[in-house]
Amino acid sequence: MAIKTYADSTVTYGDIDISYNGEVPNMATEFICTLKSSGGDYTTPAAWDAANGSNITDTIGTTLVFSHGGIIGAMNDGVAVVGQTSGATGTLTHATGTQCMIKWITGTFQSGEQVYVTENTHYVMTSNVGDSAIAVLEGYKDGWETTPLDGEVNFDGWTTNTVNRIIFRSASGNGHSGQLKSGSTYLGFTIKNTGFNDTAIINSEDNTEITDIAIEMAGGGTSVALSLPKMATASDILVYNATIGVKAAASAGAKIILNNCIAYDCASGFYLGYSGPIYAYYCQANDCTVRGFGIDEGNSGSIVKLKNCIGSGNLVDFVYLDDLGGSFTCDYCASEDATADDQLGTGNRVSQTFTYQDTANDLFKITSADAGARGYGTDLTSDGDNPINVDILGVTRVSPWDIGSFAYIVSGGGSAVLAGNHLLLMGIS
């Protein structure tokens, strides 16, 4: 019998016979759907969530991702499908041009068989036996450069684990590059939520990753750009004009990681606390009217850690709210006012002046002239809680370590390189 081992940093499936008629499924596979103004799989993230939300935790089980050679006829979301050879049945969540995800499977679909809605009329031909799923939604900026997507999404109705998880990210080359707009043109995939009291993105399910998304809110009311009550990782998030930019109010035991996130021109940039643990590394709050970072140790079990973060231009840069006996540490953070070291900690810098590349256009990238953050951070490459060695643009950080979301990189020649999802112009300070 065939045996296959699946492993990541957290979960290992070993010494288990998981063969399908002599064929072995691969490791968990990204099932990638596109979010576009036209011509994609979906035009709103809420529609993707509603169609695909399911139990995706089974390595071999009721929800699987299949590769195929193209759709014949129509394969609509939510239809019943049948394997022509195997007789297996299930419900199609969605079919892209090369993949499909099927839930509530009974029986065993085979590689090379017709999986049909209507036999010989509406079908795909499978080319594997099905893999467990990583559900991915990728946003594209094309068509939304001047009028971004107006929407909101609550990731709900899923069952996940640390392998079979939810990912919402910008597509390669469609990231925001650390700046929301140039003139009236949005530089990357952006959600522009116009609701006065809306929350643009919320994760009601654990094991959610949100990466390289820009969010603009209408301002005022109770608007929240990104709300994370469950286990999640948010990286390279750019938030503008929310009442609360990023709200990480974790339920007990729900680990939340924030890496390279920027909130600016909000009332409160970041609200962090209640339980957790919460790790906010290399984040920035700029020009917020109430506070930059608000830390709330809402119960005795709360854990909040900030490292290499900047507060600049806020009414108050770092504010410590309820203290009910939780654990809070702030290390190697810097503030324009005197609050970065209010809870002591190591390596914090207060009353600093930061030199950014273009504050008039909200590009809070430190320059060669900066004396507040450049070279004053600490190496988090091997951090025990949240190891990270890249900046908001996907550039590898090097010593001397900088504070804030952007690493200052010395380079020349004016060359253009692709780092992560961003096109970078090097040699510019």
Side-chain angles (χ1 to χ4, degrees):
M1 301 293 286
I3 293 178
K4 182 83 172 181
T5 298
Y6 302 78
D8 73 352
S9 60
T10 307
V11 178
T12 300
Y13 307 88
D15 299 326
I16 302 173
D17 178 8
I18 53 176
S19 62
Y20 264 45
N21 298 325
E23 294 187 70
V24 182
N26 297 318
M27 295 177 66
T29 293
E30 290 190 345
F31 175 58
I32 301 175
C33 295
T34 59
L35 178 60
K36 295 183 176 183
S37 61
S38 62
D41 294 298
Y42 297 95
T43 57
T44 69
W48 174 82
D49 179 76
N52 293 280
S54 57
N55 181 351
I56 58 173
T57 61
D58 296 321
T59 301
I60 296 178
T62 59
T63 301
L64 292 172
V65 177
F66 297 86
S67 299
H68 64 77
I71 298 172
I72 304 300
M75 300 285 283
N76 297 323
D77 293 1
V79 297
V81 293
V82 180
Q84 187 181 56
T85 304
S86 66
T89 62
T91 297
L92 181 72
T93 69
H94 186 72
T96 72
T98 59
Q99 293 179 298
C100 62
M101 189 163 78
I102 302 174
K103 65 181 179 179
W104 302 334
I105 294 173
T106 300
T108 304
F109 287 104
Q110 296 179 13
S111 178
E113 74 170 330
Q114 184 184 123
V115 175
Y116 64 83
V117 177
T118 303
E119 191 172 14
N120 300 323
T121 303
H122 303 292
Y123 65 91
V124 296
M125 293 294 297
T126 60
S127 56
N128 68 344
V129 296
D131 303 336
S132 69
I134 301 169
V136 180
L137 180 63
E138 291 190 335
Y140 286 76
K141 63 185 178 182
D142 295 346
W144 281 323
E145 296 95 336
T146 57
T147 306
L149 168 66
D150 183 356
E152 58 185 331
V153 60
N154 179 4
F155 295 113
D156 198 8
W158 303 76
T159 303
T160 64
N161 59 33
T162 55
V163 175
N164 307 114
R165 59 199 188 274
I166 303 163
I167 300 176
F168 182 27
R169 67 192 182 205
S170 66
S172 179
N174 285 263
H176 51 70
S177 297
Q179 186 177 10
L180 186 66
K181 293 190 292 184
S182 176
S184 61
T185 300
Y186 289 80
L187 298 178
F189 171 74
T190 302
I191 292 177
K192 184 177 181 179
N193 185 288
T194 57
F196 195 64
N197 297 313
D198 285 354
T199 297
I201 302 174
I202 182 171
N203 76 314
S204 293
E205 304 292 355
D206 286 329
N207 306 299
T208 303
E209 297 177 14
I210 303 167
T211 303
D212 203 16
I213 304 294
I215 308 169
E216 178 178 344
M217 303 299 289
T222 58
S223 64
V224 179
L226 176 61
S227 179
L228 303 172
K230 295 293 188 75
M231 187 182 302
T233 297
S235 302
D236 312 332
I237 305 299
L238 184 65
V239 171
Y240 167 65
N241 202 34
T243 300
I244 299 176
V246 179
K247 182 179 182 180
S251 54
K255 181 178 180 180
I256 296 177
I257 291 174
L258 303 174
N259 290 329
N260 298 317
C261 297
I262 300 175
Y264 71 97
D265 287 353
C266 299
S268 296
F270 294 82
Y271 173 90
L272 311 174
Y274 192 72
S275 187
I278 298 169
Y279 305 100
Y281 291 3
Y282 292 117
C283 293
Q284 288 185 210
N286 295 86
D287 300 339
C288 296
T289 57
V290 176
R291 64 180 68 96
F293 293 87
I295 295 91
D296 185 355
E297 297 176 39
N299 63 50
S300 60
S302 63
I303 300 172
V304 181
K305 293 185 179 182
L306 274 65
K307 294 183 180 179
N308 288 358
C309 294
I310 290 177
S312 170
N314 309 293
L315 181 63
V316 184
D317 290 330
F318 293 84
V319 179
Y320 307 94
L321 306 171
D322 293 339
D323 183 355
L324 300 181
S327 170
F328 169 68
T329 57
C330 181
D331 295 322
Y332 294 92
C333 293
S335 62
E336 190 172 318
D337 63 14
T339 58
D341 67 349
D342 279 4
Q343 297 293 304
L344 302 178
T346 301
N348 295 311
R349 295 169 58 76
V350 300
S351 303
Q352 297 300 307
T353 298
F354 304 99
T355 304
Y356 298 119
Q357 185 169 314
D358 188 359
T359 55
N361 291 295
D362 301 317
L363 179 56
F364 301 102
K365 180 179 182 181
I366 59 174
T367 73
S368 59
D370 179 75
R374 189 166 69 89
Y376 288 103
T378 188
D379 182 7
L380 301 179
T381 304
S382 301
D383 184 84
D385 298 307
N386 175 30
I388 175 175
N389 71 338
V390 296
D391 78 349
I392 192 170
L393 302 180
V395 174
T396 300
R397 294 178 182 268
V398 295
S399 180
W401 311 99
D402 300 322
I403 300 173
S405 299
F406 294 94
Y408 175 73
I409 302 297
V410 179
S411 62
S415 60
V417 298
L418 184 66
N421 292 348
H422 311 277
L423 184 65
L424 307 183
L425 299 178
M426 308 303 290
I428 300 175
S429 61

